[in-house]
């Protein structure tokens, strides 16, 4: 006697339950071996999705991809393989310079490092000046100009468009020496620490070492000037170094955060400082946290001593040969936006 026959014989002794006639009939039919077609379809539709859902839920919870057995019990048990995806990106609301620096650091960890022989393509929009750029000459209000440049990642070559042709020029090993930095070279940029505290210590030491300029005392304003000098000379710095510079600015009491619009009308984040009636702002892309340009605008009238069109250091006593330069509130001395910045494989390439 098989199990179903035995169970049927036992069921004969149990009085019928008339409260659930449909269930009773279905149970008796199943015991007898004849499952109703409608109930069978319901079971077939319901059981498989439930099984898969449970398996996938377990896989997601455990962080693994599970190989589900097809039903042949003689096969080896399922194997689990670890998922190699990166941890979720954790960004916070940008309500302070420190929050901005934290987000930039997180994004930089996922930014690929370009090869030394690739190129950084930058398309920049700026205002027009009637005199050579100096940081002290008022720009033409409402004016716009664009330019394109390519800088090889190892900073050995730069390129621009001249008369419709891409012209490549050697930098002779570096990109100049903005205040507070040695000549910008690929090896030097990659040697800089990406921890903000370590980089700030190095900057203070380097600036204090300049003979006769700071006399051993380096202020927060000096640090800000040095950071913006590096960024404007090499707009697409390594992402982790860029984030470290934001981390430095976040520690300076003279630096503040605001939302702004650049010359192209785009919304940007701004880290700014005001000194001697001059507001200097670094623009930052609110999504990629890349350097997005800068702006210098007068927020108060100021008379400065000028030598060759450049505002001299506030630390320096003017000589008789220097002329006086008056700057008025509202005048824009520099306004530029990085419209495009990307890594390409050759000069002249834009995508």
């Amino acid at each position: 006697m098989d199990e179903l026959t035995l169970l049927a014989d036992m069921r004969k002794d149990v009085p019928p339950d008339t409260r659930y006639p449909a269930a009773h009939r279905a149970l008796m039919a199943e015991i007898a071996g004849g499952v109703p077609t409608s109930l069978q379809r319901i079971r077939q539709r319901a059981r498989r999705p439930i099984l898969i859902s449970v398996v996938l839920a377990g896989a997601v919870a455990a962080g693994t991809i599970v190989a589900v057995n097809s039903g042949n019990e003689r096969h080896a048990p399922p194997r689990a393989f670890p998922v190699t995806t990166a941890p979720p990106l954790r960004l916070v609301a940008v309500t302070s310079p420190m929050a901005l620096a934290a987000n930039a650091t997180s994004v930089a960890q996922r930014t690929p490092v370009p090869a030394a022989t690739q190129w950084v393509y930058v398309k920049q929009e700026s205002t027009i000046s009637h005199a050579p750029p100096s940081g002290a000459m008022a720009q033409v209000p409402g004016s716009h100009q664009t330019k394109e440049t390519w800088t090889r990642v190892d900073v050995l070559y730069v390129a621009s468009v001249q008369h419709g042709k891409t012209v490549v020029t050697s930098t002779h090993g570096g990109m100049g020496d903005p205040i507070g930095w040695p000549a910008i070279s690929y090896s030097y940029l990659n040697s800089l620490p990406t921890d903000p505290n370590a980089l700030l210590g190095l900057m203070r030491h380097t600036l204090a070492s300049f003979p006769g300029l700071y006399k051993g005392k380096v202020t927060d304003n000096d640090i800000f000037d040095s950071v913006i000098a590096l960024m404007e000379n090499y707009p697409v710095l390594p992402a982790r170094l860029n984030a470290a510079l934001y981390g430095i600015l976040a520690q300076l009491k003279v630096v503040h955060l605001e939302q702004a619009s650049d010359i192209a009308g785009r919304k940007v984040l701004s880290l700014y400082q005001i000194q001697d009636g001059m507001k200097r702002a670094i623009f930052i892309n609110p999504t990629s946290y890349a350097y997005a340009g800068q702006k210098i605008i007068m927020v108060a009238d100021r008379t400065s001593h000028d030598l060759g069109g450049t505002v001299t250091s506030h630390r320096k006593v003017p000589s008789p040969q220097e002329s006086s330069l008056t700057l008025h509130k509202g005048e824009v001395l520099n306004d530029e936006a990085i419209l495009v910045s990307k890594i390409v494989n050759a000069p002249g390439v834009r995508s």
Side-chain angles (χ1 to χ4, degrees), residues 105-335:
T105 300
S106 296
V107 172
Q109 305 305 314
R110 297 174 177 231
T111 303
V113 178
T117 54
Q118 289 183 296
W119 293 74
V120 179
Y121 166 60
V122 173
K123 184 177 182 180
Q124 182 182 82
E125 182 174 351
S126 62
T127 48
I128 300 172
S129 173
H130 289 311
S134 65
M137 304 304 295
Q139 306 291 292
V140 177
S143 62
H144 297 262
Q145 64 179 350
T146 60
K147 68 176 181 178
E148 297 175 296
T149 59
W150 290 261
T151 305
R152 210 165 84 162
V153 171
D154 60 10
V155 298
L156 295 181
Y157 300 94
V158 294
S160 61
V161 177
Q162 300 177 21
H163 306 293
K165 296 182 179 180
T166 303
V167 179
V168 178
T169 306
S170 172
T171 65
H172 303 289
M175 294 280 288
D177 52 349
I179 185 170
W181 305 93
I184 301 175
S185 66
Y186 183 66
S187 59
Y188 177 72
L189 290 175
N190 283 290
S191 73
L192 293 173
T194 55
D195 174 77
N197 294 324
L199 184 56
L200 178 57
L202 177 63
M203 288 181 65
R204 290 191 182 279
H205 174 76
T206 303
L207 287 169
S209 301
F210 275 77
L213 185 57
Y214 298 100
K215 299 180 180 178
K217 183 180 180 181
V218 178
T219 68
D220 284 358
N221 286 318
D222 298 328
I223 296 294
F224 182 90
D225 291 344
S226 186
V227 168
I228 200 171
L230 180 59
M231 287 183 167
E232 68 182 355
N233 276 273
Y234 192 51
V236 189
L237 292 167
R240 295 187 184 188
L241 177 58
N242 219 31
L245 292 173
Y246 298 153
I248 287 175
L249 295 180
Q251 299 181 47
L252 306 181
K253 294 180 179 180
V254 300
V255 174
H256 308 279
L257 172 73
E258 68 178 359
Q259 294 186 354
S261 296
D262 64 13
I263 190 174
R266 302 173 307 175
K267 299 296 183 182
V268 292
L269 298 171
S270 171
L271 293 176
Y272 71 92
Q273 161 244 40
I274 297 176
Q275 180 184 11
D276 296 335
M278 182 183 296
K279 179 180 179 181
R280 304 184 71 188
I282 294 173
F283 291 156
I284 299 158
N285 185 300
T287 303
S288 67
Y289 298 98
Y291 172 77
Q294 64 168 299
K295 186 173 185 176
I296 304 175
I297 185 171
M298 299 305 301
V299 294
D301 293 344
R302 173 188 174 190
T303 299
S304 299
H305 296 282
D306 174 69
L307 179 61
T310 304
V311 173
T312 57
S313 168
H314 62 283
R315 296 174 178 271
K316 184 178 179 181
V317 177
S319 68
Q321 292 78 24
E322 293 176 347
S323 60
S324 177
L325 176 66
T326 300
L327 302 172
H328 300 284
K329 180 179 179 179
E331 287 185 324
V332 176
L333 307 185
N334 192 12
D335 195 2

Side-chain angles (χ1 to χ4, degrees), residues 96-108:
S96 67
M98 194 61 74
L100 187 155
N103 282 1
T105 300
S106 296
V107 172

